[in-house]
Amino acid sequence: ILITDIDSLIRKKIDFPNADFGFYHRKSLDTSEKWYKDGSKVAAGLVFINNDAQENASLFLETFKKNLFSFHQEGNWRWMVDQRSLFETYTELKTKYSHLKFDVFSETDLSWDFNEQSHIWTGKGDRKFKNKKYLKEFRKNKKEYQKKLRKILLYNFLGIE
Protein backbone atom coordinates (compact mmCIF):
# COMPACT_ATOMS: atom_id res chain seq x y z
CA ILE A 1 0.00 0.00 0.00
CA LEU A 2 1.44 3.36 -1.03
CA ILE A 3 -0.14 6.52 0.36
CA THR A 4 0.65 9.76 -1.47
CA ASP A 5 -0.68 13.30 -1.58
CA ILE A 6 -3.59 13.79 -3.99
CA ASP A 7 -1.51 16.21 -6.06
CA SER A 8 1.42 13.82 -6.45
CA LEU A 9 2.72 12.90 -9.87
CA ILE A 10 4.14 9.39 -10.14
CA ARG A 11 6.88 9.94 -12.69
CA LYS A 12 8.87 6.71 -12.59
CA LYS A 13 8.44 3.10 -11.57
CA ILE A 14 8.51 2.78 -7.81
CA ASP A 15 10.46 -0.06 -6.28
CA PHE A 16 8.73 -0.85 -3.03
CA PRO A 17 11.02 -1.19 -0.04
CA ASN A 18 11.88 -4.56 1.44
CA ALA A 19 10.37 -3.50 4.75
CA ASP A 20 7.15 -3.54 6.74
CA PHE A 21 6.77 0.23 6.59
CA GLY A 22 8.34 3.16 4.78
CA PHE A 23 8.23 6.80 5.84
CA TYR A 24 9.65 10.02 4.46
CA HIS A 25 11.65 11.76 7.17
CA ARG A 26 12.49 15.40 6.81
CA LYS A 27 14.04 18.22 8.77
CA SER A 28 11.45 19.58 11.16
CA LEU A 29 10.19 23.13 10.99
CA ASP A 30 12.36 25.66 12.78
CA THR A 31 9.96 26.46 15.61
CA SER A 32 9.83 26.13 19.36
CA GLU A 33 6.23 24.85 19.24
CA LYS A 34 6.32 21.07 19.74
CA TRP A 35 3.12 20.51 17.73
CA TYR A 36 4.66 21.84 14.51
CA LYS A 37 8.20 20.64 15.22
CA ASP A 38 7.10 17.01 15.69
CA GLY A 39 4.36 17.20 13.08
CA SER A 40 6.85 18.16 10.39
CA LYS A 41 9.37 15.37 11.03
CA VAL A 42 7.49 12.79 8.93
CA ALA A 43 5.83 13.77 5.66
CA ALA A 44 2.29 12.54 5.07
CA GLY A 45 2.88 12.64 1.31
CA LEU A 46 4.65 9.27 1.07
CA VAL A 47 3.93 6.31 3.32
CA PHE A 48 4.43 2.62 2.51
CA ILE A 49 2.71 -0.31 4.22
CA ASN A 50 3.77 -3.79 3.19
CA ASN A 51 0.50 -5.65 2.89
CA ASP A 52 2.19 -9.02 2.30
CA ALA A 53 1.90 -9.31 6.06
CA GLN A 54 -1.75 -8.30 6.36
CA GLU A 55 -1.41 -7.45 10.03
CA ASN A 56 0.80 -4.50 9.01
CA ALA A 57 -2.12 -2.60 7.49
CA SER A 58 -4.33 -3.26 10.50
CA LEU A 59 -1.57 -2.32 12.93
CA PHE A 60 -0.84 0.92 11.08
CA LEU A 61 -4.48 1.94 10.72
CA GLU A 62 -5.41 1.16 14.32
CA THR A 63 -2.38 3.03 15.67
CA PHE A 64 -2.94 6.02 13.36
CA LYS A 65 -6.66 6.13 14.19
CA LYS A 66 -5.93 5.97 17.93
CA ASN A 67 -3.48 8.89 17.65
CA LEU A 68 -5.82 10.93 15.47
CA PHE A 69 -8.79 10.45 17.81
CA SER A 70 -6.61 11.21 20.81
CA PHE A 71 -5.70 14.59 19.32
CA HIS A 72 -9.35 15.23 18.56
CA GLN A 73 -10.39 14.44 22.13
CA GLU A 74 -7.65 16.74 23.45
CA GLY A 75 -8.95 19.60 21.30
CA ASN A 76 -5.93 19.46 18.99
CA TRP A 77 -7.93 19.21 15.79
CA ARG A 78 -5.87 21.72 13.86
CA TRP A 79 -3.52 22.20 10.95
CA MET A 80 -0.98 19.39 10.61
CA VAL A 81 -3.02 16.92 12.68
CA ASP A 82 -2.52 14.26 9.99
CA GLN A 83 1.24 14.67 10.00
CA ARG A 84 1.43 14.87 13.78
CA SER A 85 -0.62 11.66 14.05
CA LEU A 86 1.63 10.07 11.47
CA PHE A 87 4.73 11.03 13.46
CA GLU A 88 3.21 9.59 16.65
CA THR A 89 2.25 6.42 14.75
CA TYR A 90 5.77 6.01 13.35
CA THR A 91 7.31 6.58 16.79
CA GLU A 92 4.94 4.14 18.48
CA LEU A 93 5.40 1.39 15.88
CA LYS A 94 9.18 1.79 15.94
CA THR A 95 9.28 1.68 19.75
CA LYS A 96 6.75 -1.08 20.49
CA TYR A 97 7.46 -3.43 17.58
CA SER A 98 11.22 -3.87 17.31
CA HIS A 99 10.81 -6.90 15.02
CA LEU A 100 9.31 -4.72 12.28
CA LYS A 101 11.54 -3.36 9.53
CA PHE A 102 11.34 0.34 8.60
CA ASP A 103 12.59 2.03 5.44
CA VAL A 104 13.25 5.73 5.01
CA PHE A 105 12.36 7.42 1.74
CA SER A 106 14.62 10.12 0.29
CA GLU A 107 14.48 12.96 -2.23
CA THR A 108 15.02 10.36 -4.94
CA ASP A 109 11.59 9.05 -3.98
CA LEU A 110 9.71 12.32 -3.30
CA SER A 111 10.38 15.94 -4.22
CA TRP A 112 8.61 19.23 -3.52
CA ASP A 113 11.18 21.01 -5.70
CA PHE A 114 10.54 18.89 -8.82
CA ASN A 115 13.94 17.23 -8.89
CA GLU A 116 14.37 15.38 -12.21
CA GLN A 117 15.74 12.31 -10.40
CA SER A 118 12.70 11.97 -8.13
CA HIS A 119 10.11 9.27 -8.72
CA ILE A 120 7.27 11.34 -7.26
CA TRP A 121 6.65 15.08 -7.44
CA THR A 122 4.16 16.69 -5.13
CA GLY A 123 2.88 20.21 -5.69
CA LYS A 124 2.64 22.06 -2.41
CA GLY A 125 0.63 25.26 -2.18
CA ASP A 126 0.65 27.52 -5.20
CA ARG A 127 3.44 25.49 -6.85
CA LYS A 128 0.90 23.06 -8.29
CA PHE A 129 -0.82 25.96 -10.07
CA LYS A 130 2.14 28.17 -10.99
CA ASN A 131 5.32 26.11 -11.39
CA LYS A 132 5.89 25.55 -15.12
CA LYS A 133 7.93 22.38 -14.61
CA TYR A 134 5.22 20.78 -12.46
CA LEU A 135 2.41 21.89 -14.80
CA LYS A 136 4.22 20.46 -17.84
CA GLU A 137 4.64 17.11 -16.10
CA PHE A 138 1.02 17.21 -14.92
CA ARG A 139 -0.25 17.77 -18.47
CA LYS A 140 1.96 14.96 -19.77
CA ASN A 141 0.66 12.54 -17.13
CA LYS A 142 -2.93 13.61 -17.74
CA LYS A 143 -2.57 13.02 -21.49
CA GLU A 144 -1.04 9.55 -20.93
CA TYR A 145 -3.77 8.67 -18.42
CA GLN A 146 -6.54 9.75 -20.79
CA LYS A 147 -4.99 7.75 -23.61
CA LYS A 148 -4.81 4.59 -21.46
CA LEU A 149 -8.33 5.13 -20.13
CA ARG A 150 -9.72 5.57 -23.64
CA LYS A 151 -8.02 2.33 -24.71
CA ILE A 152 -9.44 0.43 -21.72
CA LEU A 153 -12.94 1.78 -22.26
CA LEU A 154 -12.92 0.99 -25.99
CA TYR A 155 -11.71 -2.55 -25.30
CA ASN A 156 -14.03 -3.30 -22.37
CA PHE A 157 -17.22 -1.83 -23.79
CA LEU A 158 -16.83 -2.16 -27.52
CA GLY A 159 -14.29 -4.94 -27.92
CA ILE A 160 -12.00 -2.64 -29.94
CA GLU A 161 -8.26 -2.96 -29.41
Side-chain angles (χ1 to χ4, degrees):
I1 299 170
L2 191 68
I3 302 168
T4 65
D5 284 333
I6 191 70
D7 55 8
S8 291
L9 300 176
I10 311 296
R11 305 179 58 248
K12 300 177 183 180
K13 183 181 183 294
I14 298 170
D15 296 316
F16 295 112
N18 183 20
D20 294 294
F21 299 98
F23 294 91
Y24 188 97
H25 296 249
R26 61 184 181 178
K27 186 179 178 211
S28 63
L29 292 174
D30 186 19
T31 178
S32 60
E33 194 169 342
K34 182 174 174 45
W35 177 265
Y36 298 113
K37 190 174 210 79
D38 287 350
S40 62
K41 289 179 180 178
V42 176
L46 184 57
V47 176
F48 169 75
I49 304 166
N50 187 337
N51 207 29
D52 287 343
Q54 291 181 351
E55 62 273 9
N56 285 351
S58 296
L59 180 62
F60 175 85
L61 290 173
E62 288 303 315
T63 306
F64 183 78
K65 182 175 73 172
K66 175 188 64 111
N67 287 315
L68 198 60
F69 287 145
S70 175
F71 286 128
H72 183 264
Q73 290 173 333
E74 294 168 3
N76 275 325
W77 203 252
R78 54 185 169 149
W79 184 67
M80 211 179 250
V81 70
D82 59 336
Q83 287 184 211
R84 181 63 196 269
S85 297
L86 187 60
F87 171 73
E88 297 298 334
T89 299
Y90 164 76
T91 303
E92 185 174 332
L93 293 176
K94 188 96 170 147
T95 304
K96 283 186 176 179
Y97 304 95
S98 59
H99 67 284
L100 294 175
K101 187 175 176 187
F102 292 81
D103 191 66
V104 177
F105 291 112
S106 70
E107 283 190 33
T108 302
D109 302 300
L110 178 68
S111 174
W112 287 268
D113 301 317
F114 317 125
N115 179 329
E116 286 297 329
Q117 307 307 315
S118 297
H119 295 232
I120 302 170
W121 286 357
T122 188
K124 292 289 179 200
D126 283 344
R127 287 181 263 190
K128 66 181 151 234
F129 303 113
K130 295 181 179 179
N131 185 284
K132 291 178 183 178
K133 198 173 182 182
Y134 177 86
L135 290 170
K136 182 180 177 184
E137 189 76 11
F138 175 83
R139 285 190 287 275
K140 181 182 125 196
N141 280 13
K142 182 179 174 184
K143 187 175 181 179
E144 288 173 7
Y145 172 77
Q146 289 172 332
K147 185 178 177 181
K148 288 177 184 177
L149 184 60
R150 202 171 10 258
K151 186 176 181 179
I152 290 168
L153 291 173
L154 286 173
Y155 178 78
N156 285 340
F157 294 109
L158 301 175
I160 300 171
E161 287 193 44

